[in-house]
Amino acid sequence: QVQLVESGGGLVQPGGSLRLSCAASGNIFSISVMGWYRQAPGKQREMVATIDSSGGTNYADSVKGRFTIARDNAKNTVSLQMNSLKPEDTAVYYCNAGISVVFGRWENYWGQGTQVTVSS
């Protein structure tokens, strides 16, 4: 059973910083792309940032220059450092990963989500 467990959400004032972490556990053979997505009330889930197994990154335009994604392949973890937070960053943030439990078979996994609220 593969699980993604997130941590690090909370309440922060505009201009502040938060760091989200996500750990993948279980019978994991390999992990391809890992990423963070978010969903604000009344809106669709959107990609925030992704990182592949070689460290290649992709960011939503709205977070470029403010957020940094990183991963530790040895520990099967991914993090999201969020700086200069804005009220519009308020959302539930979800960890995502493409995971293979057996060679050649890939499935998409999601964490349970962690709330990030940016408010004064």
Side-chain angles (χ1 to χ4, degrees), residues 4-106:
L4 298 180
V5 178
E6 301 122 334
S7 61
L11 173 64
V12 64
Q13 292 186 341
S17 298
L18 278 176
R19 184 174 184 272
L20 305 182
S21 297
C22 173
S25 63
N27 185 26
I28 297 171
F29 178 75
S30 183
I31 302 178
S32 59
V33 178
M34 303 186 81
W36 291 93
Y37 291 71
R38 68 186 181 187
Q39 188 167 19
K43 294 188 176 181
Q44 289 189 328
R45 190 173 298 188
E46 63 176 358
M47 186 275 292
V48 176
T50 62
I51 183 167
D52 63 31
S53 57
S54 299
T57 59
N58 184 38
Y59 294 93
D61 288 343
S62 59
V63 307
K64 282 181 181 177
R66 301 188 298 122
F67 291 10
T68 302
I69 190 170
R71 69 187 278 175
D72 185 329
N73 291 331
K75 296 181 179 180
N76 292 336
T77 60
V78 63
S79 64
L80 185 69
Q81 178 66 42
M82 305 185 292
N83 299 327
S84 303
L85 283 160
K86 305 176 181 179
E88 51 263 42
D89 294 318
T90 296
V92 178
Y93 284 70
Y94 297 91
C95 176
N96 174 268
I99 296 176
S100 171
V101 297
V102 294
F103 178 77
R105 179 178 173 180
W106 295 89

